[in-house]
Every structure is written in structure tokens, then in C-alpha cells.
Amino acid sequence: MKTLVVGWFSFKKMYVTAGDLMARDLACDWLERAGHTYDVALAPPFVGGVDWRSVDPKNYSHLVFVCGPFGFGQLTHEFLQRFSCCRLIGLDLTMLESINVWNPFDVLLERDSSACSRPDITFLSRQPKVPVVGVILVHPQGEYKDRGRHEFANDAINRLVASREMVAVPIDTCLDPNTTNLRTAAEVESLIARMDLVVTTRLHGTVLALKNGVPVVAIDGIAGGAKVLRQAETIGWQTVFTVDNVSDEVLQKAFDYCLTEQAREKARECRDRAINVVEQIRDEFISALDPLNSSSAKVWCEEALDKSLLNPPLVLRMKQMAVNKARSLKKKTISAIVKLLLGNNKSQTIQY
């Protein structure tokens, strides 16, 4: 004879928690240790079990109801009536009624009741730990024009996240506005620092991860590579890709590498290298503030600048059109005012 394992996961829309499922799996493990075969009653969205309403109660010698609050009601009454032929065991339950008034179980090992309380059984549950991964995606950047492949790069990250079990934590490094309820730069960095690894298409997603010794899988969303690739190469971080050379297989391998202690050591090495260079930048910056320092790196090649403006971006063209229109309107206004003041004397010549 079998045992039927039942819980709130056996009923639809009962707000089943992770703890409920951990307790269920633990009860099943104990049944196996005792040499008992069992079925688990499940309702959508959970799959793979049986429906307690359709199974024959006579096929079961025991029924175990595991985890959660348990009180007298229409649903529990219907359930208990259907399986009254079984030996009923209540495991890890919070009994809502006084057990001096109502206790439907032959054996009750409650979590808490009017008689006693015990630790929740999930203290004994051993769940495999999955990586906690910061997901930092860039928005489209129009300044890169037709080289931008941000959607492609972000899709590659999303496929990587969907491909395996992980805790994916969306992190928005923008603060104006922020879509992940982070309010300050300190909050952004503190969250990134607590990740096992980061997957990102943003430059500062890459930088802030490595700054805190967190390995990062980075994709530069610009064809041929731009600032993300250049930054990673500058500090010596190798798990960076462009939209031109990335594949799902390559990302999977990079992800596995970033979970190793070797990757964490490399991240710290890159951070230390970057800090040494930035300290030199700091010193050069302070030196540039010296009033005795007259050196200049200015370059102003008008011919090159003129060529670069032959095909200005749409925003710049619109801005220039607006300026030209304003100038034309200003001329017409001045002309009208002067004519009015001079009595429209055509012999007068107006100079602009």
C-alpha cells in the first residue's frame, strides 16, 4: 500500500511557498527512508503528481498532510471525508483550532498548536545553492548610430539567464530614473557587490562588478566593439564579447568560468591594476590645476571638423534648423520695427 502526500500544493491558488515545497520534499525523503512508496497530490501550476479528487482512497494506507496552517472549513472537511479510510498524519502544521476541540489526525506532529510548538521541519532541508546573478542591461544608445546592436546583445544575455537555474537579480545602474527601486550610487554598488557574478551589456555594470571582485560576463552592444570592450581590454578582463563574436555556447562557458575561484582572483587582479592607473590619473589631474602649469593638449583641425559635420545626426540638424529659423524671424522683426520708427522711409538703408 502507498502513502499519499498532500499539502496546499495539492489545491489550486493556495499561495504555495518555497517552504511548502521544501517540507513536501523532506516528507517524501523520510518516506523513502522508511521504505514506503508514495504519490504526491499536485494541482496546477505544479505537475507530475496525482489529483486527490480522482484517485481511489482505498489505494492508500496512509495520508500525510504536510506544512502550513490547517483549520476546520469546507475544503478541509471535504478532503478529510474522502480519505477517512486512511491513517491520517499531520506534519509541520499550524493548527488553527484548539486541538482539544478539533484534531482530525491519527498522528499530529504539528509545527504549533494549542498544545505545543516545534521548529519548522525545513531546518533539515538541504537545498542546492544556485548562483545569484546580477543582470544589468543597457538601453539603446543612439550616439552609436547604425553600429548599435543593443537589442541583440540584451537578447543574448536573456537567453543565458533562461538557460539554467539561477537567482537573476535585475539591477539598473541608471538613477534618472531607476527601474529597480535603487536610489543612490551606494545602493547600486552595494547590490552588485553581493552578487556571485554579473552578466551585463553596460560599461559600469562591468566596472562596478570587477571593482568589487565580482566576475562579469560582458557583451559590448556596438558592432566591432566600443567602450565596454575597450575598458575590459584596458584592465585585462577577458570574458568580454562583442555582438560580432558572441554565441550562446561561448556565453555558457564564460558563465561557468565566472563561478570559479580562479575568476574571482582574476577580477581582483584587474581591480588592483585599474586602481594603480587611476591613482596616476588623480595625480595628473591635481597637477593640471597648478596655475604654473601652462601645457595644453588642444587640437582644432577645422577641415576635419567640417567634414565630420557633413552628415550631422538628425537632432543636430533639427537644432540648426531651429536656430536658422529664429535668426530669420529676428531679422524680419528688427526690419519691421525700424520701418515703423522711420515712417517706412524707403530712402533709408538698413544695415545688419
Side-chain angles (χ1 to χ4, degrees):
M1 295 288 282
K2 287 184 175 181
T3 296
L4 182 62
V5 178
V6 184
W8 294 119
F9 43 80
S10 309
F11 304 83
K12 292 182 180 180
K13 299 180 180 179
M14 295 304 295
Y15 300 98
V16 176
T17 70
D20 293 330
L21 300 185
M22 291 179 191
R24 175 201 67 188
D25 294 344
L26 201 56
C28 292
D29 177 62
W30 294 352
L31 286 167
E32 289 179 7
R33 290 192 182 195
H36 281 240
T37 58
Y38 60 87
D39 288 332
V40 178
L42 295 175
F46 308 108
V47 297
V50 301
D51 183 348
W52 66 268
R53 288 185 169 90
S54 62
V55 297
D56 186 350
K58 294 180 181 179
N59 291 335
Y60 302 98
S61 59
H62 295 75
L63 182 142
V64 178
F65 197 105
V66 57
C67 198
F70 197 90
F72 182 80
Q74 182 177 352
L75 187 60
T76 53
H77 179 70
E78 176 189 355
F79 165 77
L80 292 168
Q81 285 290 104
R82 179 169 173 74
F83 291 93
S84 59
C85 63
C86 301
R87 182 168 175 80
L88 302 179
I89 300 175
L91 177 63
D92 202 41
L93 301 177
T94 291
M95 299 300 291
L96 300 179
E97 317 293 342
S98 172
I99 62 172
N100 295 324
V101 176
W102 183 75
N103 175 17
F105 298 102
D106 296 297
V107 176
L108 176 62
L109 299 170
E110 69 267 51
R111 179 172 57 198
D112 55 272
S113 70
S114 59
C116 71
S117 64
R118 298 180 175 91
D120 188 277
I121 66 172
T122 56
F123 274 106
L124 205 56
S125 176
R126 296 291 180 266
Q127 297 295 317
K129 300 301 184 289
V130 299
V132 181
V133 181
V135 181
I136 308 173
L137 303 181
V138 71
H139 61 278
Q141 296 173 311
E143 59 267 32
Y144 290 100
K145 304 176 184 177
D146 57 356
R147 292 179 60 208
R149 301 286 190 276
H150 302 91
E151 184 176 353
F152 182 93
N154 288 343
D155 285 347
I157 292 290
N158 288 329
R159 288 196 303 274
L160 175 63
V161 171
S163 70
R164 60 176 70 193
E165 192 173 10
M166 67 180 74
V167 181
V169 182
I171 303 175
D172 189 357
T173 57
C174 290
L175 292 173
D176 180 28
N178 186 278
T179 60
T180 53
N181 297 320
L182 299 171
R183 300 165 297 177
T184 66
E187 291 180 1
V188 171
E189 183 171 358
S190 296
L191 185 56
I192 291 174
R194 285 163 173 77
M195 298 297 105
D196 293 321
L197 69 115
V198 163
V199 292
T200 186
T201 51
R202 295 201 75 106
L203 182 141
H204 280 115
T206 303
V207 168
L208 294 178
L210 295 176
K211 176 187 175 185
N212 289 278
V214 177
V216 57
V217 178
I219 302 178
D220 194 318
I222 307 303
K227 62 183 180 181
V228 176
L229 176 65
R230 190 72 177 271
Q231 181 68 201
E233 289 178 341
T234 298
I235 62 177
W237 183 252
Q238 296 179 339
T239 57
V240 58
F241 311 94
T242 71
V243 291
D244 312 285
N245 66 5
V246 72
S247 69
D248 291 348
E249 182 181 1
V250 166
L251 289 179
Q252 293 284 353
K253 291 180 179 178
F255 189 96
D256 291 335
Y257 166 72
C258 285
L259 290 175
T260 66
E261 184 55 38
Q262 179 185 357
R264 286 199 163 263
E265 181 67 29
K266 183 65 175 179
R268 292 189 288 266
E269 177 186 319
C270 291
R271 172 196 62 198
D272 294 343
R273 181 184 296 114
I275 287 175
N276 288 335
V277 176
V278 174
E279 286 176 340
Q280 296 175 27
I281 296 172
R282 175 199 61 200
D283 295 342
E284 291 180 27
F285 171 76
I286 293 174
S287 175
L289 301 175
D290 189 335
L292 298 179
N293 189 340
S294 59
S295 62
S296 176
K298 285 183 180 180
V299 174
W300 191 273
C301 182
E302 292 189 9
E303 182 180 357
L305 290 173
D306 289 342
K307 289 182 179 179
S308 71
L309 294 175
L310 286 176
N311 295 297
L314 177 61
V315 173
L316 293 179
R317 294 201 303 271
M318 293 177 65
K319 181 178 179 181
Q320 188 60 49
M321 289 172 61
V323 170
N324 292 340
K325 187 175 181 180
R327 286 174 176 170
S328 176
L329 180 61
K330 180 180 178 181
K331 285 185 177 181
K332 291 179 180 179
T333 303
I334 293 174
S335 177
I337 292 173
V338 171
K339 286 181 178 180
L340 179 63
L341 292 174
L342 297 179
N344 201 18
N345 188 340
K346 295 182 180 180
S347 64
Q348 297 292 330
T349 301
I350 301 172
Q351 300 291 334
Y352 297 108

